[in-house]
Structure formats: structure tokens, C-alpha cells
Amino acid sequence: MSKTDTDTSRDREELGAAGSQLSTAPQEEQTILPGLGVTGWARWFWRQLTSMRVALLLLLLLSLGAIPGSLIPQTGADVSKVEDFRAAHKTLAPVYDKLGLFHVYSSVWFSAIYILLFVSLIGCIVPRTWQFVGQLRGRPPGAPRRLNRLPAHTTWRTTEDPERVREAALALLRKRRFRAHVVGDAVAAEKGYLRELGNLVFHIALIVLLVAFASGQLYKSDGTKLMVEGDGFSNALPMYDDFKSGSLFRNDDLVPFSFDLKDFKGTYEVSGPNRGTPRTYEAKLTYSKGAYGKERSTTVKVNEPLKIDDAKVYLVSHGYAPVITVRDGKGAVVYHDAVPLLPLDGNVSSNGVVKVMDGYRDPKGKKEQLGFQAFFAPTLDTRSGTMLSQFPALLNPVLAVNAYHGDLGVNSGIPQSVYQLDKKHMTAFKDAKGQLLKKLLKPGDTMTLPGGAGSITFEKDVKEWAGFEIVQEPGGGWALTGALAAIFGLAGSLFIQRRRVWVRAVRGADGVTVVEMAGLGRSESAKVPEELGDLAAILYDQAPGAPDPGDPAATPDPQAVPAEGAEK
């Protein structure tokens, strides 16, 4: 081997050492299949699982796996929609059942991807973190033997002593927030550690997000409650109309609080193309935290929930509850209450039922039950020829009712909706013409039942109801923190560059000091040559150039000898 080949090999080794550890990314190694045995295969599997390539693949699979959870009805969100899907797709539904597509986020395959991604991130981050800590505790490596082999470099001659040049370079680099120290005849400096820190923060933030989302799903609770003005609510399981929770949720995890709905107010556009569009929905509440908490007043609006510890109370729906009074044939009141009716359209045309289950006797004194179907229009325009409301506010409220008597079926033990009337064992009241008894009632009007069976009155008081969703997601704060940390960490890893600078000052054979400066970055960038040029210009002012031996009148420029491709 020639001396030139030996020097070239040595230069490569030194340049490799100078550029080593500019990142904490694991070095790619040649894949070697493990030998036979459990230990060998386990080691090989672990290396594959903790590689960044596999982590990105798992993250992609997790994103793809979430798509059916957004497109296909989920049992955890709406069971009725799932049942409707099963009824409409007899062939496809069994396939979805086997694949777990009706409960994607709790399925085995989605959980497997989730857990593997979690383990992969931890296995990737831990060694990189220790390596980064080791780099922070260490010092930048010494200068390569030939700095002119680096991508960005410059050199000049000066009459200043080498020691003074190195001291000036050390002070300059430290002033520019480089970590710098003297190694032999050169100053070694490094900057941009926040790039690797940002990279680690980004990956750790992903773990925080995974943990936060997992805990949120396992310990969350989500329930709804319909409340008429004047009603109260206590955060206990029996008070909910509908309730679902995570697999690790316990009833004791409910935040103790209560609130009363004092008033509900909605305003609407009264003219123009957006006539009838809601402008504001406001629910005035009084609430207290705990069993003996101080009572406070607040107003809940759309997207402005009431927050009590980990619980949030959202305003999600609205409607009307006409006050209905039912009397028997003797004039005794057997029912008096505000009846919530469910909206059918944007103008709050609503329907529902009134069930008189106890206390009523027919004209012969026999115990019986009454049922009324009700349709309500807050603003009825009789000129339109339709029963649909023309505006969502109470401008001309009208209640249409028809009546039935018999057995409502509420004592059969079979659950039924409070908004539907089971007519299997009911008989309709008829009018004098033998037709179904029905009537349009305005506030204060009464419909008399035939044969002295009693009456139903639409009272002048029309209350409003509000639907609330009470949500508890314990991991919400951690998820937000993780998301913000991931954004800042990713920004740091993208916009901060890790780079090194070396300054060598040695006395030449003619007694004049030769200054060499070179820079090296983790990736090709114009920032390293530009920064090196700025540093060289400042140092040149402190160690001015000396004339070249062959041209005494010449004054060298420290930026006149850049590396190939370097911008000076």
C-alpha cells in the first residue's frame, strides 16, 4: 500500500470521527439473521420492533385503522345506528362483526397495533436518550488532521501567536453559544443540541399522547340528560337518560356536583335568507360542587361548557315542553306536568306522547290508563295548509292531540320509550262521527273526552327543555400537553441544525502563524458555510492576515479559499 493510500484512509477515519455523534439516530447495521434458538429470534424481533422504520409503519397502520372507526357506526357511540346498519346490510354486517369494525377502538387488532407502537417508541427512545445524555456530558471531538477536506473551510496567515489566536477563537465561539474547548493545537466547538432534544421531545410527546388517549378511553364517561326548566340534576348514574363509559370506569369516579336548569333562552334570525337560524342558545344554571358546596350561577352556551374538575357539561339540544293537565270524568286532576317533545326539523316542529299511568278511572270506576299522541308547532301558519312550524320561536303555538285508553304496557316488564305510544292494548277515542278524536289546542284550550271520560288541557305555560352531555375524560390535559410538546419538538428538530466548528492555529516553518477554520453539519446546508464565514471575518479582525511569502504587498482574505461548493 502506498503512502498516499495510507494518508487517504487515515483522513477518512479522522473525518468520520469528527462527524460522529451529530445525532442520536441508531446506525444502520447489516441485517444478520439470528441463529437458531429463542434468544436469537427474540433479539432479532426486538431490533426490528424498536427500529424507526417499524415505528413509522405502525403509526401509519394506526392511522389507517382509525378510518373505519370514523366511517362505520360504532357501538360505543350510537347503538341504534349500528342496528340500522345491520338491518340494511345483511351480508356485510356479519363480516364487519368478525373483523371488529363495529368497535374498532376496542378491537384486538387495533389494540395490538396500539401496544406495539407504544413498545416500539419506548424501545427506540430509551437508548437514544442515554446516548444524548452522554453527548451532553462529553466534549466536542478534536479537529481532523486535514481541515481542508471538510465541506466548508478557510485559511489565512497571521503574525499573531498561535496561543493568542486560539484564545480569541475560544472566546468568540463561546460568545456565540458554542460548547468549545482547546484540544491540542485547535479549538473544537459544537452547537445545535436542541435539534436532538427536540427530536427526543417529539417522540416522548407521542408516548404521552398514546397514554393520554388510552387512559381517556379506559376511564372516560359520557352521558346525556334532558332537563325541563326548573328540573335539577345530580351527577349520579341513575340520573342519566343515557350513559356509556370505559372498561376501567367505576361509579365512584364520577365528579360530585349538581345543577339546576333555571331558564333557557334561544334567539333566532327574524328576516332574510337565514330566517329561523339560531343566533344564541343560553342555559342559565345554578350549580354546586360536592355535597355541601357553595351554590354558584353560570350560563352555559354552545361550545362553552360548564367545567367542574375533569367533568364538562355541554349544551347539545333544545326543544319545548308544553304543560299538560289531564282530568278524569269527575274533574279530578290525574296528571299535570311539562311534557318534553322531540324536534323533527329546524323550526322545532315536535312530537311525543302523554302517558297517564296511575290514578285514572273510567266513567264506570274501573282503573284504566290513558295515552295521548301530541304534535306541537311553536309557530303554526294556518294559511300554509300544513301542520309544520314556520318559525322556531313561540309566536303562534298550537298542540294537536288524539287520545287512547286501555293498557299502556308499562307493567309488562318490557322497556319502552317515553316518546312512543304502544297501541297494542289501547283503544282510540272516537268523535261523534266515529272518527279518531283529535283537536288543535291553543294555550288554555281543552279537549273533552267522549262519554264523560275526562279532558286534556293545554295550559298557557309552555316551558323549554335543554339537552346536556356530561363528559369526563381524565387524559384531556395530558393529551393537550403532549400535542403542544410534539409540535415544538418537531419544530426544533426541523429548523435547528447540529454543527461543529474547528479552529487550528500553528506556527509555520517561516515563523508565521497559519490559521485554519472548518465547519461540518449533520446535513448539507448553506447555514454552515455562512456561519463559518461570519466567524472567520470576526476572528480575522483580531488576527489580521500577514503577506504571503511570494507577494509581500498582498493582504489575504480569510474567505478567499473556500471549500468546493461552500458559499463565501
Side-chain angles (χ1 to χ4, degrees):
M1 182 180 291
S2 64
K3 184 176 183 298
T4 302
D5 294 338
T6 304
D7 292 342
T8 302
S9 177
R10 187 180 302 168
D11 289 341
R12 277 202 200 107
E13 292 178 2
E14 290 182 355
L15 184 58
S20 65
Q21 296 184 346
L22 271 174
S23 76
T24 57
Q27 298 181 356
E28 292 290 338
E29 297 180 356
Q30 185 177 2
T31 304
I32 301 177
L33 292 177
L36 297 176
V38 177
T39 304
W41 282 106
R43 185 182 297 112
W44 177 83
F45 177 79
W46 176 253
R47 288 177 179 174
Q48 298 303 312
L49 180 60
T50 56
S51 65
M52 187 57 63
R53 186 184 301 107
V54 173
L56 292 175
L57 178 61
L58 290 173
L59 189 60
L60 175 63
L61 291 177
L62 193 70
S63 302
L64 294 176
I67 294 177
S70 303
L71 301 178
I72 300 174
Q74 300 293 292
T75 55
D78 195 333
V79 179
S80 60
K81 288 186 177 180
V82 175
E83 295 301 324
D84 293 340
F85 187 92
R86 293 180 192 274
H89 303 83
K90 299 292 186 181
T91 305
L92 198 58
V95 178
Y96 283 7
D97 274 325
K98 292 181 179 180
L99 296 177
L101 297 183
F102 289 124
H103 51 92
V104 168
Y105 304 110
S106 59
S107 63
V108 175
W109 58 269
F110 191 86
S111 300
I113 298 174
Y114 198 94
I115 294 173
L116 286 175
L117 177 60
F118 186 80
V119 174
S120 177
L121 288 174
I122 293 179
C124 182
I125 289 173
V126 171
R128 295 184 66 164
T129 302
W130 284 116
Q131 185 178 352
F132 181 64
V133 171
Q135 293 179 18
L136 292 178
R137 297 178 62 183
R139 290 186 172 188
R145 190 169 64 89
R146 300 183 64 178
L147 290 177
N148 58 358
R149 292 296 184 91
L150 296 182
H153 75 276
T154 186
T155 181
W156 73 92
R157 291 157 49 88
T158 181
T159 57
E160 296 290 339
D161 293 335
E163 293 80 5
R164 185 172 179 182
V165 175
R166 288 192 290 268
E167 290 177 0
L170 183 64
L172 172 62
L173 291 170
R174 287 179 174 175
K175 185 178 180 180
R176 292 296 185 92
R177 297 188 299 276
F178 279 84
R179 294 181 62 197
H181 69 117
V182 178
V183 184
D185 59 1
V187 176
E190 188 170 2
K191 191 178 183 180
Y193 288 91
L194 288 180
R195 178 189 181 94
E196 295 305 321
L197 180 61
N199 196 4
L200 292 174
V201 168
F202 171 74
H203 288 85
I204 293 173
L206 289 182
I207 294 179
V208 173
L209 283 172
L210 290 175
V211 173
F213 288 144
S215 64
Q217 292 296 317
L218 292 174
Y219 293 96
K220 75 171 184 178
S221 66
D222 188 347
T224 58
K225 178 63 178 179
L226 186 150
M227 297 177 62
V228 180
E229 291 173 322
D231 287 351
F233 172 82
S234 178
N235 195 25
L237 198 57
M239 297 292 294
Y240 284 93
D241 296 331
D242 180 47
F243 186 85
K244 53 182 178 289
S245 61
S247 57
L248 298 182
F249 176 83
R250 297 180 303 173
N251 294 343
D252 295 340
D253 295 332
L254 288 173
V255 177
F257 68 90
S258 60
F259 65 89
D260 297 330
L261 176 60
K262 296 299 183 180
D263 182 52
F264 182 90
K265 181 180 180 181
T267 59
Y268 310 89
E269 293 287 347
V270 296
S271 61
N274 295 324
R275 183 178 184 273
T277 301
R279 298 180 59 185
T280 59
Y281 280 157
E282 298 179 351
K284 295 183 178 180
L285 309 179
T286 58
Y287 72 96
S288 60
K289 179 181 176 182
Y292 306 100
K294 182 180 178 180
E295 190 174 85
R296 297 179 175 87
S297 298
T298 188
T299 299
V300 176
K301 303 178 182 179
V302 177
N303 296 326
E304 296 182 17
L306 169 63
K307 300 179 182 179
I308 305 176
D309 293 340
D310 288 336
K312 294 181 181 180
V313 181
Y314 292 92
L315 176 63
V316 294
S317 57
H318 155 258
Y320 292 102
V323 178
I324 304 297
T325 300
V326 179
R327 294 177 173 84
D328 61 15
K330 297 181 180 179
V333 176
V334 294
Y335 182 91
H336 178 78
D337 202 358
V339 181
L341 303 178
L342 298 182
L344 299 174
D345 54 32
N347 288 323
V348 204
S349 303
S350 310
N351 67 354
V353 299
V354 180
K355 297 181 181 182
V356 182
M357 296 178 287
D358 299 308
Y360 175 77
R361 293 180 180 272
D362 64 10
K364 298 180 180 180
K366 181 182 177 181
K367 288 184 178 182
E368 202 173 27
Q369 295 175 333
L370 298 178
F372 300 89
Q373 286 186 323
F375 184 89
F376 180 73
T379 301
L380 181 65
D381 186 359
T382 54
R383 296 172 298 177
S384 65
T386 177
M387 271 297 297
L388 296 178
S389 176
Q390 304 302 309
F391 195 75
L394 292 171
L395 301 182
N396 183 31
V398 173
L399 182 69
V401 295
N402 50 47
Y404 299 84
H405 64 98
D407 184 6
L408 293 171
V410 295
N411 299 323
S412 63
I414 301 175
Q416 59 178 243
S417 172
V418 296
Y419 303 104
Q420 295 179 349
L421 187 64
D422 185 359
K423 304 175 186 176
K424 292 181 180 179
H425 305 287
M426 303 290 290
T427 302
F429 283 100
K430 305 292 185 179
D431 59 14
K433 298 180 181 180
Q435 302 294 323
L436 176 67
L437 179 66
K438 54 185 178 180
K439 187 176 182 180
L440 297 181
L441 303 178
K442 291 189 174 183
D445 289 351
T446 298
M447 182 180 74
T448 302
L449 301 178
S455 64
I456 178 172
T457 302
F458 176 22
E459 304 291 349
K460 295 183 178 181
D461 184 18
V462 179
K463 294 186 177 182
E464 299 187 56
W465 61 261
F468 296 95
E469 183 176 10
I470 299 92
V471 180
Q472 281 187 218
E473 291 181 341
W478 284 103
L480 177 61
T481 302
L484 293 176
I487 293 173
F488 286 112
L490 183 60
S493 64
L494 291 177
F495 298 110
I496 298 175
Q497 186 180 19
R498 185 96 171 263
R499 63 265 192 202
R500 288 170 180 166
V501 172
W502 293 275
V503 181
R504 174 178 286 133
V506 295
R507 194 176 299 276
D510 57 356
V512 179
T513 301
V514 178
V515 182
E516 290 182 289
M517 293 186 67
L520 180 65
R522 178 180 174 184
S523 59
E524 292 293 333
S525 172
K527 185 174 183 179
V528 174
E530 291 174 359
E531 187 174 34
L532 183 66
D534 294 338
L535 294 171
I538 297 174
L539 187 59
Y540 184 81
D541 292 337
Q542 301 179 30
D548 289 333
D551 186 8
T555 303
D557 184 355
Q559 302 185 40
V561 194
E564 182 180 354
E567 297 182 8
K568 296 297 181 186

